[in-house]
Amino acid sequence: MSKKNISKISLWILIFSILSLVTVAMVWSPRKELKIRGNADNLLERYDTSDIIEYSGCYINQSGQICINGVDPHIVFKKENIKNVTTIVIKLKDKVSGDLDVQLYFDDGNEFNENDSCIKTIFSGDDNVGFELTNKSLKQIRIDVDSDFNFDDIEIYSGKSIISIDKENMHYERIIYSICFTVFIISILLFIDKKLNFSDTIICFIGRKYKIALRDLLIFIVSLVIGAIIAYFVSGLKFMYSTWLFCSAIVAIILFILISYRTIKDKPEKLLVRLVFVSSITMLFVSPIGHISWDIDSHFKFAISSSSVAHIGLSEPELEVLTNGGEFYSEYRHLCSKY
């Protein structure tokens, strides 16, 4: 195989790798799931399908699956007076194939109403969801779900809830779609390359300017290392991927400005190209579709501090996940103690 062919194959492998990383980063979800469950020794009651006394907008088929056939579908369980309830866990017989929203209503003497309810999501690949309450006395429970589901049972606990944070769910289908999209883009680029031979132009340019290419590559590597050190302290000694990339980008921009001070007057476009590339590739990696930005945790803190947080029933474990357990958490507890 000729040197030219090796260079061309290497270039296309590099392009494919960069496009794959970018497309995966654009659809990747950094969401981590908060898991709430009760202590087995503190189990107060367990409800199954035999304890359902009312179906509305839904029915149960022969296999035990609850099927939706009307508006406002919900199921209501038998009346009891259960005291000191702190945790309710809803379990399904099968893992869900897509995210399933569940709204739990609890009648503590005021009948069913929106204020005495919680909405949680059973994430794809999971089969249960937990709700943390504040030492309530329950007379009745109602569940609202807008999709068919295989209900197993409800477990009601007293005592302190057991809180844990699951690792990220691996969205394999998103990765597959991203790679397929990358292959599609590469196919288009290969077709254009047959007409324009732009890959040969890139290879020739790199061959002539290989020292500059190596220098720029070294700057990126150094920036990633320095960015990791800065992010380690900025994130409160807790590593955050998006903060690391953002800090690395700032370091890279500073280094590019420093090495371009001699040519910036005559050829400012060279520096501009590097700055645009660093900025755009950074935002592609740290701002997936549907997310806010690299500092998404600070946006959560601002939103919570600007809202009527003391009146919306946000539990402490939920807030701790949102705010990353930082100093803001202590400020929030102090704020709520005033109400």
Side-chain angles (χ1 to χ4, degrees), residues 30-31 240 242-243 286-288 290-303 322-323:
R31 176 185 62 199
M240 293 180 66
S242 55
T243 307
V286 305
S287 297
H291 295 282
I292 301 173
S293 66
W294 69 277
D295 58 341
I296 187 170
D297 57 314
S298 66
H299 287 266
F300 275 129
K301 295 176 185 179
F302 177 77
L322 291 179
T323 60

Side-chain angles (χ1 to χ4, degrees), residues 215-230:
R215 183 199 65 187
D216 289 354
L217 178 61
L218 180 62
I219 286 176
F220 279 116
I221 294 174
V222 171
S223 299
L224 290 173
V225 174
I226 297 176
I229 296 172
I230 296 174

Side-chain angles (χ1 to χ4, degrees), residues 181-193:
F181 177 76
T182 301
V183 171
F184 174 72
I185 297 297
I186 290 291
S187 300
I188 295 177
L189 292 176
L190 285 171
F191 176 77
I192 297 174
D193 186 47

Side-chain angles (χ1 to χ4, degrees), residues 219-220 222-223 226 250-260:
I219 286 176
F220 279 116
V222 171
S223 299
I226 297 176
I250 294 176
V251 174
I253 288 174
I254 293 173
L255 292 178
F256 278 128
I257 292 174
L258 291 176
I259 66 170
S260 302

Side-chain angles (χ1 to χ4, degrees), residues 17-250:
S17 301
I18 294 175
L19 281 177
S20 297
L21 287 173
V22 169
T23 52
V24 169
M26 287 296 291
V27 299
W28 184 258
S29 173
R31 176 185 62 199
K32 293 185 177 181
E33 183 183 354
L34 179 69
K35 299 294 292 184
I36 299 175
R37 55 191 178 90
N39 190 319
D41 295 333
N42 296 327
L43 180 65
L44 297 174
E45 188 65 69
R46 179 183 281 111
Y47 292 154
D48 56 27
T49 52
S50 64
D51 297 306
I52 299 175
I53 61 171
E54 180 186 333
Y55 295 89
S56 178
C58 60
Y59 68 95
I60 184 168
N61 62 19
Q62 294 180 347
S63 63
Q65 184 180 38
I66 295 179
C67 304
I68 309 302
N69 65 348
V71 296
D72 190 24
H74 62 265
I75 54 177
V76 180
F77 294 85
K78 64 182 181 181
K79 289 188 176 181
E80 288 199 40
N81 189 15
I82 308 175
K83 296 182 178 180
N84 302 321
V85 176
T86 58
T87 309
I88 296 178
V89 180
I90 298 175
K91 293 184 176 181
L92 308 183
K93 293 180 180 178
D94 304 314
K95 294 182 178 180
V96 295
S97 57
D99 291 354
L100 179 68
D101 292 331
V102 179
Q103 184 167 10
L104 173 71
Y105 289 84
F106 38 89
D107 179 5
D108 57 0
N110 299 316
E111 299 185 343
F112 295 127
N113 62 83
E114 291 292 331
N115 291 330
D116 293 328
S117 71
C118 298
I119 300 178
K120 289 289 186 70
T121 300
I122 302 179
F123 293 116
S124 176
D126 208 347
D127 60 1
N128 67 86
V129 64
F131 297 82
E132 186 189 23
L133 308 180
T134 54
N135 237 8
K136 288 187 174 293
S137 296
L138 302 185
K139 297 181 179 297
Q140 207 166 16
I141 293 174
R142 163 182 158 177
I143 298 177
D144 287 32
V145 180
D146 291 334
S147 301
D148 296 352
F149 64 102
N150 267 329
F151 174 74
D152 188 10
D153 61 31
I154 293 179
E155 295 177 346
I156 302 174
Y157 297 88
S158 62
K160 189 175 182 180
S161 301
I162 300 175
I163 310 295
S164 62
I165 303 176
D166 272 11
K167 296 180 179 179
E168 296 182 11
N169 293 323
M170 292 291 289
H171 299 286
Y172 295 106
E173 69 279 2
R174 295 187 183 183
I175 297 176
I176 294 172
Y177 295 151
S178 299
I179 293 176
C180 290
F181 177 76
T182 301
V183 171
F184 174 72
I185 297 297
I186 290 291
S187 300
I188 295 177
L189 292 176
L190 285 171
F191 176 77
I192 297 174
D193 186 47
K194 284 186 177 181
K195 303 293 183 181
L196 303 178
N197 290 322
F198 67 83
S199 61
D200 290 336
T201 304
I202 294 174
I203 291 171
C204 291
F205 176 80
I206 294 176
R208 293 195 309 269
K209 305 287 185 178
Y210 73 94
K211 289 185 178 180
I212 296 177
L214 290 176
R215 183 199 65 187
D216 289 354
L217 178 61
L218 180 62
I219 286 176
F220 279 116
I221 294 174
V222 171
S223 299
L224 290 173
V225 174
I226 297 176
I229 296 172
I230 296 174
Y232 183 77
F233 294 100
V234 169
S235 301
L237 303 182
K238 183 174 181 179
F239 180 80
M240 293 180 66
Y241 154 82
S242 55
T243 307
W244 166 51
L245 288 184
F246 194 83
C247 292
S248 300
I250 294 176

